[in-house]
Amino acid sequence: DDEEEEEDDDESDDEDLSLTARRPRFRGVGSRLTAGLSRFASGIRDNLGGGASSAKLSHTHPTQYVYVRQSLLLWREIMRNMYKLWAEADADLLSNGGYQLWNTGQGLNRVQSCPRLASEMRRILGRAQRESGQPWVGLSVVHLGDRDVPNALVFIDKYTQVPRILAPIVLVVDAVDDLCAADPACRDYCVDAFGSPSHLQLAILADFFRHGFDGDGDDGGSCIDGRLTSA
C-alpha cells in the first residue's frame, strides 16, 4: 500500500509543480512585466481568440486563468486516482454490456458504455470543482462510450499522456534559474532576449497556457475531454 501511495504521488508531481509555477507568474502578469516585454503582456492579456486562427475559445485573460487552473486541478485529481480509474476501466471492458464497431472519424473503434468509469469520473470532477472554489469555466460533459472517447481503454490512454505533456514544460521552467546561475553566457542570452530569466519562464508558461488551452483540439473545446485533446 505504501508503495502504491508513493507511486501515485509521483504521478501527480508534474501537475502540482505546474500549478505552483503557474500561480505567481500568470495571475495579473501584465502589471508586472517591464516595458521591454510589453509584447508578451499584450499577447497574454488579449482575448484568447484574437489573432489565433485555430482557437475555438474567446476567453478574456482572467477567465482563461481560471480555466487553466481548473483544468490542472482536474488533471491532478485524475492522476491521483488513476489506479482506481484503471480498475473501473477494466471492469467496464470485461462486462457483459457488449460493444459495437463504429467509424468514429478515427477509423473503426470498439464503442462500449463505461458506467463504472463514468461514475468515478463524476466524483473526481466534483472534487476538482469544489477545490476550485469558483464557477466552473467551460462544459462539465465527460465523454465516454461515444465517438469522442469510444471506450474505457481509450480514456486511460488519453490521460496517461498528462505527465508526458506537462513534464517537459515543468522541467524546463524549473531549470532556467539554475542554468542561468551556472552559465553566465546563458544568463546574458536570457537577459538580452527576454529581459530576465523570470521573464523567460513567464513566456514559456504564457505560451502553453494560451495555446495549449485554446480549444483547438475538439469541436466543443471546453468539455472535460476537449481540454486534454487541445493540450
Side-chain angles (χ1 to χ4, degrees):
D1 290 342
D2 291 341
E3 289 179 359
E4 286 183 0
E5 287 183 8
E6 183 177 347
E7 182 180 350
D8 193 38
D9 289 341
D10 290 342
E11 285 183 341
S12 62
D13 280 350
D14 294 331
E15 290 73 39
D16 286 331
L17 285 170
S18 186
L19 283 167
T20 302
R22 174 195 45 70
R23 187 166 301 187
R25 297 192 178 94
F26 193 55
R27 188 197 296 271
V29 70
S31 63
R32 294 199 297 270
L33 286 177
T34 63
L37 290 172
S38 60
R39 62 188 184 279
F40 293 126
S42 61
I44 298 164
R45 286 197 305 262
D46 284 348
N47 287 352
L48 186 66
S53 59
S54 63
K56 292 187 174 68
L57 305 178
S58 56
H59 295 159
T60 60
H61 169 67
T63 304
Q64 182 69 1
Y65 168 80
V66 175
Y67 177 69
V68 172
R69 178 174 180 269
Q70 290 175 341
S71 299
L72 292 174
L73 285 170
L74 174 63
W75 292 355
R76 186 186 65 186
E77 285 300 310
I78 291 173
M79 292 300 100
R80 286 178 170 174
N81 292 274
M82 182 57 77
Y83 69 95
K84 189 168 186 180
L85 289 168
W86 206 309
E88 300 293 5
D90 280 350
D92 281 331
L93 286 167
L94 298 173
S95 70
N96 295 322
Y99 65 90
Q100 294 177 311
L101 283 178
W102 289 5
N103 187 342
T104 63
Q106 303 178 59
L108 285 176
N109 279 272
R110 169 178 166 165
V111 178
Q112 182 180 17
S113 63
C114 320
R116 296 176 179 85
L117 186 59
S119 178
E120 185 59 29
M121 263 302 295
R122 284 193 291 271
R123 282 192 286 269
I124 291 172
L125 176 59
R127 286 198 296 270
Q129 290 173 327
R130 288 190 295 274
E131 184 176 349
S132 167
Q134 293 174 290
W136 191 256
V137 177
L139 302 175
S140 332
V141 177
V142 180
H143 286 287
L144 279 170
D146 57 18
R147 293 184 182 277
D148 291 310
V149 184
N151 57 63
L153 183 60
V154 173
F155 173 91
I156 294 296
D157 180 65
K158 284 177 70 73
Y159 280 93
T160 53
Q161 308 308 313
V162 169
R164 294 186 175 96
I165 294 170
L166 296 184
I169 298 169
V170 172
L171 289 171
V172 169
V173 170
D174 198 41
V176 167
D177 289 331
D178 291 339
L179 236 135
C180 290
D183 188 344
C186 183
R187 178 175 179 79
D188 290 344
Y189 169 75
C190 287
V191 171
D192 291 342
F194 300 95
S196 72
S198 63
H199 286 136
L200 169 59
Q201 292 169 319
L202 171 65
I204 295 169
L205 291 171
D207 189 68
F208 176 56
F209 296 146
R210 185 181 186 191
H211 298 293
F213 294 85
D214 63 359
D216 70 345
D218 187 86
D219 291 340
S222 68
C223 66
I224 300 305
D225 173 64
R227 298 163 192 256
L228 181 55
T229 309
S230 298

